mmCIF file of all heavy atoms in Angstrom:
data_model
loop_
_atom_site.group_PDB
_atom_site.id
_atom_site.type_symbol
_atom_site.label_atom_id
_atom_site.label_comp_id
_atom_site.label_asym_id
_atom_site.label_seq_id
_atom_site.Cartn_x
_atom_site.Cartn_y
_atom_site.Cartn_z
ATOM 1 N N PRO A 1348 -25.249 37.391 -154.273
ATOM 2 C CA PRO A 1348 -26.430 36.562 -154.012
ATOM 3 C C PRO A 1348 -26.041 35.110 -153.729
ATOM 4 O O PRO A 1348 -25.167 34.562 -154.427
ATOM 5 C CB PRO A 1348 -27.228 36.664 -155.311
ATOM 6 C CG PRO A 1348 -26.381 37.367 -156.280
ATOM 7 C CD PRO A 1348 -25.267 38.020 -155.580
ATOM 8 N N SER A 1349 -26.636 34.563 -152.684
ATOM 9 C CA SER A 1349 -26.215 33.216 -152.271
ATOM 10 C C SER A 1349 -26.691 32.145 -153.258
ATOM 11 O O SER A 1349 -25.985 31.172 -153.520
ATOM 12 C CB SER A 1349 -26.722 32.914 -150.860
ATOM 13 O OG SER A 1349 -28.119 32.977 -150.855
ATOM 14 N N ASN A 1350 -27.884 32.336 -153.838
ATOM 15 C CA ASN A 1350 -28.419 31.346 -154.763
ATOM 16 C C ASN A 1350 -28.281 31.837 -156.209
ATOM 17 O O ASN A 1350 -28.577 32.991 -156.507
ATOM 18 C CB ASN A 1350 -29.904 31.099 -154.427
ATOM 19 C CG ASN A 1350 -30.352 29.745 -154.923
ATOM 20 O OD1 ASN A 1350 -29.989 29.324 -156.031
ATOM 21 N ND2 ASN A 1350 -31.138 29.059 -154.109
ATOM 22 N N LEU A 1351 -27.802 30.975 -157.059
ATOM 23 C CA LEU A 1351 -27.591 31.374 -158.454
ATOM 24 C C LEU A 1351 -28.864 31.260 -159.303
ATOM 25 O O LEU A 1351 -28.870 31.669 -160.466
ATOM 26 C CB LEU A 1351 -26.467 30.545 -159.077
ATOM 27 C CG LEU A 1351 -25.074 30.751 -158.467
ATOM 28 C CD1 LEU A 1351 -24.063 29.837 -159.143
ATOM 29 C CD2 LEU A 1351 -24.616 32.195 -158.588
ATOM 30 N N GLY A 1352 -29.900 30.729 -158.734
ATOM 31 C CA GLY A 1352 -31.177 30.643 -159.433
ATOM 32 C C GLY A 1352 -31.380 29.323 -160.155
ATOM 33 O O GLY A 1352 -30.536 28.421 -160.085
ATOM 34 N N GLU A 1353 -32.501 29.272 -160.860
ATOM 35 C CA GLU A 1353 -32.886 28.028 -161.551
ATOM 36 C C GLU A 1353 -32.785 28.228 -163.064
ATOM 37 O O GLU A 1353 -33.038 29.311 -163.581
ATOM 38 C CB GLU A 1353 -34.342 27.692 -161.194
ATOM 39 C CG GLU A 1353 -34.595 27.455 -159.700
ATOM 40 C CD GLU A 1353 -34.539 26.007 -159.323
ATOM 41 O OE1 GLU A 1353 -34.986 25.175 -160.134
ATOM 42 O OE2 GLU A 1353 -34.019 25.700 -158.232
ATOM 43 N N GLY A 1354 -32.413 27.233 -163.753
ATOM 44 C CA GLY A 1354 -32.382 27.291 -165.210
ATOM 45 C C GLY A 1354 -31.084 27.874 -165.754
ATOM 46 O O GLY A 1354 -30.520 28.804 -165.180
ATOM 47 N N TYR A 1355 -30.633 27.299 -166.866
ATOM 48 C CA TYR A 1355 -29.346 27.657 -167.463
ATOM 49 C C TYR A 1355 -29.242 29.154 -167.783
ATOM 50 O O TYR A 1355 -28.271 29.818 -167.467
ATOM 51 C CB TYR A 1355 -29.117 26.810 -168.716
ATOM 52 C CG TYR A 1355 -27.777 27.019 -169.358
ATOM 53 C CD1 TYR A 1355 -26.639 26.362 -168.861
ATOM 54 C CD2 TYR A 1355 -27.623 27.869 -170.449
ATOM 55 C CE1 TYR A 1355 -25.409 26.563 -169.446
ATOM 56 C CE2 TYR A 1355 -26.391 28.064 -171.042
ATOM 57 C CZ TYR A 1355 -25.278 27.407 -170.542
ATOM 58 O OH TYR A 1355 -24.054 27.614 -171.111
ATOM 59 N N HIS A 1356 -30.281 29.690 -168.416
ATOM 60 C CA HIS A 1356 -30.247 31.087 -168.867
ATOM 61 C C HIS A 1356 -30.284 32.069 -167.707
ATOM 62 O O HIS A 1356 -29.599 33.094 -167.728
ATOM 63 C CB HIS A 1356 -31.379 31.354 -169.865
ATOM 64 C CG HIS A 1356 -31.168 30.637 -171.141
ATOM 65 N ND1 HIS A 1356 -30.167 30.974 -172.016
ATOM 66 C CD2 HIS A 1356 -31.790 29.544 -171.667
ATOM 67 C CE1 HIS A 1356 -30.179 30.132 -173.041
ATOM 68 N NE2 HIS A 1356 -31.159 29.245 -172.845
ATOM 69 N N ASN A 1357 -31.076 31.737 -166.682
ATOM 70 C CA ASN A 1357 -31.139 32.599 -165.486
ATOM 71 C C ASN A 1357 -29.790 32.650 -164.793
ATOM 72 O O ASN A 1357 -29.322 33.715 -164.373
ATOM 73 C CB ASN A 1357 -32.191 32.085 -164.497
ATOM 74 C CG ASN A 1357 -33.588 32.379 -164.988
ATOM 75 O OD1 ASN A 1357 -33.780 33.264 -165.836
ATOM 76 N ND2 ASN A 1357 -34.549 31.625 -164.499
ATOM 77 N N VAL A 1358 -29.167 31.470 -164.670
ATOM 78 C CA VAL A 1358 -27.842 31.393 -164.018
ATOM 79 C C VAL A 1358 -26.830 32.191 -164.822
ATOM 80 O O VAL A 1358 -26.046 32.971 -164.274
ATOM 81 C CB VAL A 1358 -27.393 29.916 -163.856
ATOM 82 C CG1 VAL A 1358 -25.958 29.854 -163.328
ATOM 83 C CG2 VAL A 1358 -28.317 29.167 -162.905
ATOM 84 N N GLN A 1359 -26.886 32.035 -166.153
ATOM 85 C CA GLN A 1359 -25.962 32.769 -167.028
ATOM 86 C C GLN A 1359 -26.123 34.273 -166.847
ATOM 87 O O GLN A 1359 -25.140 35.021 -166.776
ATOM 88 C CB GLN A 1359 -26.209 32.386 -168.504
ATOM 89 C CG GLN A 1359 -25.581 31.095 -168.919
ATOM 90 C CD GLN A 1359 -24.058 31.176 -169.011
ATOM 91 O OE1 GLN A 1359 -23.466 32.203 -168.739
ATOM 92 N NE2 GLN A 1359 -23.431 30.064 -169.353
ATOM 93 N N ALA A 1360 -27.388 34.709 -166.799
ATOM 94 C CA ALA A 1360 -27.671 36.143 -166.647
ATOM 95 C C ALA A 1360 -27.104 36.663 -165.330
ATOM 96 O O ALA A 1360 -26.483 37.729 -165.282
ATOM 97 C CB ALA A 1360 -29.178 36.375 -166.711
ATOM 98 N N LEU A 1361 -27.313 35.869 -164.271
ATOM 99 C CA LEU A 1361 -26.803 36.287 -162.954
ATOM 100 C C LEU A 1361 -25.274 36.310 -162.935
ATOM 101 O O LEU A 1361 -24.657 37.241 -162.390
ATOM 102 C CB LEU A 1361 -27.337 35.339 -161.873
ATOM 103 C CG LEU A 1361 -27.017 35.755 -160.425
ATOM 104 C CD1 LEU A 1361 -27.671 37.091 -160.087
ATOM 105 C CD2 LEU A 1361 -27.505 34.704 -159.435
ATOM 106 N N LEU A 1362 -24.698 35.308 -163.574
ATOM 107 C CA LEU A 1362 -23.220 35.253 -163.609
ATOM 108 C C LEU A 1362 -22.649 36.451 -164.366
ATOM 109 O O LEU A 1362 -21.609 37.001 -163.995
ATOM 110 C CB LEU A 1362 -22.743 33.943 -164.248
ATOM 111 C CG LEU A 1362 -22.924 32.677 -163.411
ATOM 112 C CD1 LEU A 1362 -22.430 31.449 -164.172
ATOM 113 C CD2 LEU A 1362 -22.186 32.772 -162.072
ATOM 114 N N ARG A 1363 -23.361 36.861 -165.421
ATOM 115 C CA ARG A 1363 -22.926 38.047 -166.185
ATOM 116 C C ARG A 1363 -22.963 39.285 -165.281
ATOM 117 O O ARG A 1363 -22.041 40.108 -165.280
ATOM 118 C CB ARG A 1363 -23.839 38.249 -167.396
ATOM 119 C CG ARG A 1363 -23.248 37.703 -168.704
ATOM 120 C CD ARG A 1363 -23.909 38.311 -169.920
ATOM 121 N NE ARG A 1363 -25.367 38.242 -169.912
ATOM 122 C CZ ARG A 1363 -26.081 37.156 -170.269
ATOM 123 N NH1 ARG A 1363 -25.465 36.060 -170.656
ATOM 124 N NH2 ARG A 1363 -27.390 37.177 -170.226
ATOM 125 N N GLU A 1364 -24.042 39.378 -164.508
ATOM 126 C CA GLU A 1364 -24.178 40.513 -163.578
ATOM 127 C C GLU A 1364 -23.062 40.510 -162.533
ATOM 128 O O GLU A 1364 -22.473 41.532 -162.233
ATOM 129 C CB GLU A 1364 -25.540 40.464 -162.862
ATOM 130 C CG GLU A 1364 -26.719 40.837 -163.729
ATOM 131 C CD GLU A 1364 -26.569 42.220 -164.353
ATOM 132 O OE1 GLU A 1364 -26.266 43.176 -163.610
ATOM 133 O OE2 GLU A 1364 -26.718 42.341 -165.591
ATOM 134 N N ILE A 1365 -22.823 39.297 -162.011
ATOM 135 C CA ILE A 1365 -21.759 39.162 -160.992
ATOM 136 C C ILE A 1365 -20.415 39.562 -161.589
ATOM 137 O O ILE A 1365 -19.643 40.282 -160.964
ATOM 138 C CB ILE A 1365 -21.727 37.710 -160.438
ATOM 139 C CG1 ILE A 1365 -22.947 37.457 -159.539
ATOM 140 C CG2 ILE A 1365 -20.446 37.474 -159.615
ATOM 141 C CD1 ILE A 1365 -23.106 36.024 -159.094
ATOM 142 N N GLN A 1366 -20.149 39.113 -162.798
ATOM 143 C CA GLN A 1366 -18.852 39.408 -163.435
ATOM 144 C C GLN A 1366 -18.638 40.914 -163.603
ATOM 145 O O GLN A 1366 -17.527 41.397 -163.504
ATOM 146 C CB GLN A 1366 -18.758 38.706 -164.783
ATOM 147 C CG GLN A 1366 -17.313 38.593 -165.257
ATOM 148 C CD GLN A 1366 -17.134 37.493 -166.283
ATOM 149 O OE1 GLN A 1366 -18.080 37.101 -166.969
ATOM 150 N NE2 GLN A 1366 -15.932 36.970 -166.363
ATOM 151 N N LYS A 1367 -19.765 41.643 -163.858
ATOM 152 C CA LYS A 1367 -19.658 43.092 -164.048
ATOM 153 C C LYS A 1367 -19.164 43.791 -162.783
ATOM 154 O O LYS A 1367 -18.427 44.777 -162.847
ATOM 155 C CB LYS A 1367 -21.039 43.662 -164.435
ATOM 156 C CG LYS A 1367 -21.347 43.591 -165.904
ATOM 157 C CD LYS A 1367 -22.688 44.268 -166.158
ATOM 158 C CE LYS A 1367 -23.233 43.869 -167.515
ATOM 159 N NZ LYS A 1367 -24.646 44.229 -167.652
ATOM 160 N N ILE A 1368 -19.645 43.289 -161.629
ATOM 161 C CA ILE A 1368 -19.320 43.991 -160.366
ATOM 162 C C ILE A 1368 -18.234 43.285 -159.558
ATOM 163 O O ILE A 1368 -17.801 43.803 -158.517
ATOM 164 C CB ILE A 1368 -20.580 44.165 -159.478
ATOM 165 C CG1 ILE A 1368 -21.222 42.798 -159.183
ATOM 166 C CG2 ILE A 1368 -21.569 45.125 -160.128
ATOM 167 C CD1 ILE A 1368 -22.280 42.836 -158.126
ATOM 168 N N LEU A 1369 -17.790 42.129 -160.069
ATOM 169 C CA LEU A 1369 -16.858 41.311 -159.271
ATOM 170 C C LEU A 1369 -15.577 42.065 -158.883
ATOM 171 O O LEU A 1369 -15.236 42.143 -157.692
ATOM 172 C CB LEU A 1369 -16.498 40.032 -160.047
ATOM 173 C CG LEU A 1369 -15.646 39.034 -159.266
ATOM 174 C CD1 LEU A 1369 -16.478 38.309 -158.227
ATOM 175 C CD2 LEU A 1369 -14.992 38.015 -160.206
ATOM 176 N N VAL A 1370 -14.912 42.647 -159.866
ATOM 177 C CA VAL A 1370 -13.598 43.261 -159.610
ATOM 178 C C VAL A 1370 -13.694 44.404 -158.604
ATOM 179 O O VAL A 1370 -12.976 44.420 -157.602
ATOM 180 C CB VAL A 1370 -12.964 43.756 -160.928
ATOM 181 C CG1 VAL A 1370 -11.674 44.505 -160.645
ATOM 182 C CG2 VAL A 1370 -12.686 42.580 -161.839
ATOM 183 N N TRP A 1371 -14.572 45.356 -158.862
ATOM 184 C CA TRP A 1371 -14.598 46.510 -157.953
ATOM 185 C C TRP A 1371 -15.123 46.153 -156.566
ATOM 186 O O TRP A 1371 -14.700 46.703 -155.557
ATOM 187 C CB TRP A 1371 -15.336 47.703 -158.567
ATOM 188 C CG TRP A 1371 -16.832 47.620 -158.612
ATOM 189 C CD1 TRP A 1371 -17.596 47.242 -159.657
ATOM 190 C CD2 TRP A 1371 -17.733 47.950 -157.548
ATOM 191 N NE1 TRP A 1371 -18.923 47.289 -159.334
ATOM 192 C CE2 TRP A 1371 -19.043 47.730 -158.037
ATOM 193 C CE3 TRP A 1371 -17.588 48.391 -156.245
ATOM 194 C CZ2 TRP A 1371 -20.178 47.938 -157.268
ATOM 195 C CZ3 TRP A 1371 -18.735 48.601 -155.477
ATOM 196 C CH2 TRP A 1371 -20.019 48.367 -155.989
ATOM 197 N N ARG A 1372 -16.060 45.156 -156.520
ATOM 198 C CA ARG A 1372 -16.576 44.778 -155.206
ATOM 199 C C ARG A 1372 -15.496 44.066 -154.376
ATOM 200 O O ARG A 1372 -15.315 44.367 -153.199
ATOM 201 C CB ARG A 1372 -17.812 43.893 -155.344
ATOM 202 C CG ARG A 1372 -18.568 43.784 -154.043
ATOM 203 C CD ARG A 1372 -19.938 43.250 -154.216
ATOM 204 N NE ARG A 1372 -20.901 44.264 -154.628
ATOM 205 C CZ ARG A 1372 -22.213 44.075 -154.657
ATOM 206 N NH1 ARG A 1372 -22.712 42.919 -154.305
ATOM 207 N NH2 ARG A 1372 -23.032 45.022 -155.026
ATOM 208 N N ILE A 1373 -14.794 43.145 -155.016
ATOM 209 C CA ILE A 1373 -13.695 42.464 -154.308
ATOM 210 C C ILE A 1373 -12.631 43.497 -153.902
ATOM 211 O O ILE A 1373 -12.141 43.499 -152.773
ATOM 212 C CB ILE A 1373 -13.063 41.354 -155.189
ATOM 213 C CG1 ILE A 1373 -14.014 40.152 -155.269
ATOM 214 C CG2 ILE A 1373 -11.720 40.904 -154.617
ATOM 215 C CD1 ILE A 1373 -13.517 39.013 -156.140
ATOM 216 N N SER A 1374 -12.331 44.407 -154.822
ATOM 217 C CA SER A 1374 -11.322 45.440 -154.518
ATOM 218 C C SER A 1374 -11.755 46.272 -153.326
ATOM 219 O O SER A 1374 -10.955 46.578 -152.433
ATOM 220 C CB SER A 1374 -11.109 46.351 -155.718
ATOM 221 O OG SER A 1374 -10.709 45.596 -156.809
ATOM 222 N N LEU A 1375 -13.025 46.654 -153.313
ATOM 223 C CA LEU A 1375 -13.544 47.478 -152.211
ATOM 224 C C LEU A 1375 -13.438 46.737 -150.881
ATOM 225 O O LEU A 1375 -12.923 47.283 -149.888
ATOM 226 C CB LEU A 1375 -15.000 47.865 -152.495
ATOM 227 C CG LEU A 1375 -15.639 48.773 -151.457
ATOM 228 C CD1 LEU A 1375 -15.088 50.187 -151.574
ATOM 229 C CD2 LEU A 1375 -17.165 48.804 -151.636
ATOM 230 N N ILE A 1376 -13.897 45.489 -150.894
ATOM 231 C CA ILE A 1376 -13.865 44.685 -149.658
ATOM 232 C C ILE A 1376 -12.425 44.542 -149.156
ATOM 233 O O ILE A 1376 -12.140 44.766 -147.972
ATOM 234 C CB ILE A 1376 -14.491 43.280 -149.907
ATOM 235 C CG1 ILE A 1376 -16.001 43.412 -150.128
ATOM 236 C CG2 ILE A 1376 -14.208 42.346 -148.735
ATOM 237 C CD1 ILE A 1376 -16.628 42.161 -150.734
ATOM 238 N N TYR A 1377 -11.542 44.207 -150.065
ATOM 239 C CA TYR A 1377 -10.156 43.984 -149.648
ATOM 240 C C TYR A 1377 -9.434 45.282 -149.279
ATOM 241 O O TYR A 1377 -8.552 45.269 -148.422
ATOM 242 C CB TYR A 1377 -9.392 43.202 -150.720
ATOM 243 C CG TYR A 1377 -9.640 41.725 -150.579
ATOM 244 C CD1 TYR A 1377 -10.754 41.139 -151.166
ATOM 245 C CD2 TYR A 1377 -8.806 40.929 -149.804
ATOM 246 C CE1 TYR A 1377 -11.020 39.790 -151.001
ATOM 247 C CE2 TYR A 1377 -9.058 39.584 -149.639
ATOM 248 C CZ TYR A 1377 -10.171 39.011 -150.242
ATOM 249 O OH TYR A 1377 -10.438 37.684 -150.068
ATOM 250 N N THR A 1378 -9.822 46.378 -149.905
ATOM 251 C CA THR A 1378 -9.208 47.658 -149.531
ATOM 252 C C THR A 1378 -9.589 48.001 -148.094
ATOM 253 O O THR A 1378 -8.727 48.371 -147.284
ATOM 254 C CB THR A 1378 -9.658 48.787 -150.488
ATOM 255 O OG1 THR A 1378 -9.356 48.384 -151.812
ATOM 256 C CG2 THR A 1378 -8.981 50.092 -150.172
#
Side-chain angles (χ1 to χ4, degrees):
Chain A
S1349 60
N1350 203 319
L1351 295 178
E1353 299 265 323
Y1355 184 82
H1356 292 291
N1357 286 340
V1358 174
Q1359 280 289 1
L1361 187 63
L1362 288 179
R1363 261 199 309 279
E1364 287 304 310
I1365 288 172
Q1366 199 159 24
K1367 275 184 197 166
I1368 57 169
L1369 186 75
V1370 175
W1371 75 262
R1372 195 165 278 190
I1373 286 178
S1374 302
L1375 183 73
I1376 290 165
Y1377 277 85
T1378 305

